Amino acid sequence: MAIRKIRIMGDRILGKKCRPIEEMTPKIKELIQDMLDTMYDACGVGLAAPQVGLLKRIVVIDVGDRPWVLINPEIVETSGEQTGAEGCLSLPGKSGTVTRPNVVTVKAFDENMEPYTLTGEGLLARAICHECDHLDGIMYVEHVEGELYDNETIEEEEEE
Ligand SMILES: [Zn+2]
């Protein structure tokens, strides 16, 4: 168990395409555990391997119910639409408005390389899209409608 350093936007690795995982190894299992630890430590709902500096098609997500490990994820179906605030651990303190599908079905392999299909709605659908984008070197800022804003500003507004 270890917390890894999260790469910040501007780091070239965040703009690169990740390679698929061919087989599970003890090293990759350790990476997955570290990614979960790092995500929880940073209070995020998702983390992709390039965010900790590795160009591997691995994503971890937990929107509050349970952790999901998605290896070589492939979005196979989307429906509906949701528009809302989105942020990223690689761009701390900022948020932006992004429109995503409201329901997303993704095919992936779990940490034992067993294939499974996950359908997520709402925040889980948003997280799946956001994290899968990272594997292709895409940051959410490319999808933002309008300007990025500081999270502090929003918190202050809510207090009033
Ligand atoms: Zn992100």
Side-chain angles (χ1 to χ4, degrees), residues 46-48 51 87-91 130-131 134 138-140:
L47 191 71
Q51 291 182 276
C88 179
L89 294 177
S90 292
L91 192 53
H130 178 115
E131 300 309 332
H134 273 301
I138 299 166
M139 286 283 292
Y140 81 101

Short mmCIF file of all heavy atoms in Angstrom, two decimals, residues 46-48 51 87-91 130-131 134 138-140, ligand 1:
data_model
loop_
_atom_site.label_atom_id
_atom_site.label_comp_id
_atom_site.label_asym_id
_atom_site.label_seq_id
_atom_site.Cartn_x
_atom_site.Cartn_y
_atom_site.Cartn_z
N GLY A 46 -12.36 8.94 -8.94
CA GLY A 46 -11.78 8.14 -10.00
C GLY A 46 -10.33 8.52 -10.23
O GLY A 46 -9.91 9.63 -9.89
N LEU A 47 -9.57 7.56 -10.76
CA LEU A 47 -8.16 7.82 -11.06
C LEU A 47 -7.74 6.90 -12.20
O LEU A 47 -8.12 5.72 -12.23
CB LEU A 47 -7.30 7.54 -9.82
CG LEU A 47 -5.85 8.00 -9.88
CD1 LEU A 47 -5.73 9.52 -9.81
CD2 LEU A 47 -5.03 7.37 -8.74
N ALA A 48 -6.98 7.43 -13.13
CA ALA A 48 -6.49 6.65 -14.26
C ALA A 48 -4.97 6.53 -14.15
O ALA A 48 -4.30 7.43 -13.62
CB ALA A 48 -6.88 7.32 -15.57
N GLN A 51 -2.39 9.26 -14.57
CA GLN A 51 -2.35 10.29 -13.52
C GLN A 51 -1.30 9.98 -12.45
O GLN A 51 -0.92 10.86 -11.69
CB GLN A 51 -3.72 10.45 -12.86
CG GLN A 51 -4.76 11.07 -13.79
CD GLN A 51 -6.08 11.24 -13.08
OE1 GLN A 51 -6.87 10.30 -12.99
NE2 GLN A 51 -6.31 12.42 -12.54
N GLY A 87 -14.54 17.85 -12.07
CA GLY A 87 -13.20 18.23 -11.67
C GLY A 87 -12.26 17.07 -11.89
O GLY A 87 -12.67 16.00 -12.33
N CYS A 88 -10.99 17.28 -11.57
CA CYS A 88 -9.99 16.25 -11.83
C CYS A 88 -8.86 16.39 -10.83
O CYS A 88 -8.43 17.51 -10.52
CB CYS A 88 -9.46 16.42 -13.26
SG CYS A 88 -8.19 15.24 -13.72
N LEU A 89 -8.37 15.26 -10.30
CA LEU A 89 -7.27 15.30 -9.34
C LEU A 89 -6.00 15.85 -9.96
O LEU A 89 -5.10 16.28 -9.25
CB LEU A 89 -7.02 13.89 -8.76
CG LEU A 89 -8.15 13.31 -7.91
CD1 LEU A 89 -7.81 11.90 -7.47
CD2 LEU A 89 -8.44 14.19 -6.69
N SER A 90 -5.93 15.86 -11.30
CA SER A 90 -4.76 16.41 -11.99
C SER A 90 -4.90 17.91 -12.24
O SER A 90 -4.02 18.52 -12.87
CB SER A 90 -4.52 15.68 -13.31
OG SER A 90 -4.13 14.35 -13.06
N LEU A 91 -5.99 18.48 -11.77
CA LEU A 91 -6.19 19.93 -11.87
C LEU A 91 -6.89 20.38 -10.59
O LEU A 91 -8.08 20.72 -10.59
CB LEU A 91 -7.02 20.26 -13.11
CG LEU A 91 -7.09 21.75 -13.53
CD1 LEU A 91 -5.72 22.36 -13.67
CD2 LEU A 91 -7.86 21.89 -14.83
N HIS A 130 -14.97 10.24 -17.95
CA HIS A 130 -13.82 11.07 -17.58
C HIS A 130 -12.53 10.23 -17.51
O HIS A 130 -11.51 10.61 -18.07
CB HIS A 130 -14.12 11.75 -16.23
CG HIS A 130 -13.01 12.60 -15.70
ND1 HIS A 130 -13.14 13.96 -15.55
CD2 HIS A 130 -11.76 12.28 -15.26
CE1 HIS A 130 -11.99 14.44 -15.05
NE2 HIS A 130 -11.15 13.44 -14.87
N GLU A 131 -12.62 9.09 -16.82
CA GLU A 131 -11.41 8.27 -16.63
C GLU A 131 -10.99 7.60 -17.93
O GLU A 131 -9.79 7.48 -18.20
CB GLU A 131 -11.63 7.25 -15.51
CG GLU A 131 -11.97 7.84 -14.14
CD GLU A 131 -11.01 8.92 -13.67
OE1 GLU A 131 -9.84 8.91 -14.05
OE2 GLU A 131 -11.47 9.81 -12.92
N HIS A 134 -8.90 9.84 -20.01
CA HIS A 134 -7.50 9.93 -19.58
C HIS A 134 -6.63 8.91 -20.32
O HIS A 134 -5.47 9.17 -20.61
CB HIS A 134 -7.37 9.67 -18.07
CG HIS A 134 -7.56 10.89 -17.21
ND1 HIS A 134 -6.78 12.01 -17.31
CD2 HIS A 134 -8.44 11.14 -16.19
CE1 HIS A 134 -7.16 12.91 -16.40
NE2 HIS A 134 -8.17 12.40 -15.71
N ILE A 138 -6.85 12.51 -22.97
CA ILE A 138 -7.79 13.63 -23.02
C ILE A 138 -8.14 14.08 -21.61
O ILE A 138 -8.55 13.28 -20.77
CB ILE A 138 -9.09 13.21 -23.77
CG1 ILE A 138 -8.74 12.83 -25.22
CG2 ILE A 138 -10.13 14.33 -23.73
CD1 ILE A 138 -9.86 12.09 -25.94
N MET A 139 -7.95 15.37 -21.35
CA MET A 139 -8.35 15.97 -20.07
C MET A 139 -9.77 16.55 -20.23
O MET A 139 -10.15 16.98 -21.30
CB MET A 139 -7.40 17.10 -19.69
CG MET A 139 -6.03 16.65 -19.20
SD MET A 139 -6.04 16.03 -17.48
CE MET A 139 -6.40 17.54 -16.55
N TYR A 140 -10.51 16.57 -19.12
CA TYR A 140 -11.90 17.04 -19.20
C TYR A 140 -12.01 18.48 -19.67
O TYR A 140 -13.04 18.90 -20.19
CB TYR A 140 -12.61 16.84 -17.86
CG TYR A 140 -12.35 17.91 -16.82
CD1 TYR A 140 -13.29 18.92 -16.59
CD2 TYR A 140 -11.18 17.91 -16.08
CE1 TYR A 140 -13.05 19.92 -15.65
CE2 TYR A 140 -10.94 18.89 -15.13
CZ TYR A 140 -11.88 19.90 -14.92
OH TYR A 140 -11.65 20.87 -13.99
ZN ZN B 1 -9.24 13.31 -14.25
#
